[in-house]
């Protein structure tokens, strides 16, 4: 395994004879994953979380980081740059946790999917890269998932629109939708198709 280092504010890059300066923008998804990014992803996450079917929880990675960090960097770049993600890595075990003491219907359970820790680390790295540019990619009316935007801003926007309509006497219609069980109402075939295209 080779590491290449850049001077002048650059970084080390795992496994490739290539060095590039990290920049934001459209190129952000093409950059090699750095050791720092992998380490940050490994440090995140709560304690005592159930692992995937391999049985390796986040505590294992943290406790053995000095030994496995180079291998993890190589693995992350294989997954990200080379799109080399095995079916086993993407395998999830669905568990149903009861919401109440004596559940009687499916609605009384909360489904969770147990995923491999390395797969979740890859997800954290992608999220950390996208977060700084989310505001540029999404509409100004989008609040969820954008740093420094909250649901309270959405409420404020609606109130300001109502106040503006009252002052200017301009007709205004407001439609409020609450998609209960939204995941169950969207086409799963559509989700699977696009997930496979993005190697998720």
């Amino acid at each position: 395994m080779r590491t290449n280092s850049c001077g002048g504010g650059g970084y080390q890059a795992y496994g490739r004879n290539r060095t590039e300066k990290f920049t934001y923008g459209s190129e952000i998804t093409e950059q090699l994953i750095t050791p720092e990014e992998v380490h940050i992803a490994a440090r995140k996450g709560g304690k005592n979380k159930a692992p995937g079917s391999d049985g390796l929880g986040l505590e294992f990675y943290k406790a053995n980081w000095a030994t496995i960090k180079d291998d993890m960097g190589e693995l992350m770049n294989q997954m990200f740059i080379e799109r080399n993600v095995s079916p086993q890595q993407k395998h999830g075990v669905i568990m149903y946790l009861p919401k109440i003491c004596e559940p009687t219907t499916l609605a009384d359970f909360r489904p969770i999917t147990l995923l491999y820790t390395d797969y979740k680390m890859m997800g954290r790295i992608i999220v950390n890269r996208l977060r700084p540019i989310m505001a540029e990619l999404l509409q100004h009316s989008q609040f969820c998932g954008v740093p420094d935007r909250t649901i309270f801003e959405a409420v404020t926007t609606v109130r300001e629109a109502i106040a503006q309509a009252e002052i200017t006497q301009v007709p205004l219609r407001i439609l409020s939708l609450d998609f209960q069980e939204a995941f169950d109402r969207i086409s799963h075939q559509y989700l699977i198709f696009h997930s496979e295209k993005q190697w998720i």
Side-chain angles (χ1 to χ4, degrees), residues 70-142:
D70 290 336
D71 291 326
M72 288 304 301
E74 182 76 21
L75 175 63
M76 291 296 108
N77 273 307
Q78 285 180 5
M79 295 171 67
F80 186 67
I81 300 295
E82 300 175 13
R83 304 296 194 262
N84 185 10
V85 184
S86 70
Q88 187 177 8
Q89 285 176 295
K90 294 185 284 185
H91 177 72
V93 178
I94 300 176
M95 304 290 292
Y96 292 90
L97 304 179
K99 299 178 183 178
I100 58 178
C101 294
E102 297 182 3
T104 57
T105 67
L106 288 177
D108 296 332
F109 291 89
R110 178 180 294 108
I112 64 169
T113 304
L114 307 181
L115 298 170
Y116 280 42
T117 301
D118 56 0
Y119 190 70
K120 291 191 286 187
M121 287 172 58
M122 183 76 264
R124 293 189 191 109
I125 292 171
I126 294 173
V127 168
N128 289 338
R129 286 191 168 195
L130 290 177
R131 185 175 286 120
I133 61 172
M134 287 299 288
E136 301 174 15
L137 299 176
L138 298 176
Q139 298 289 334
H140 293 295
S141 57
Q142 174 73 41

Side-chain angles (χ1 to χ4, degrees), residues 83 90 190-200:
R83 304 296 194 262
K90 294 185 284 185
Y190 172 85
L191 290 177
I192 292 171
F193 172 77
H194 286 282
S195 295
E196 289 177 345
K197 285 189 65 175
Q198 298 298 325
W199 58 272
I200 296 175

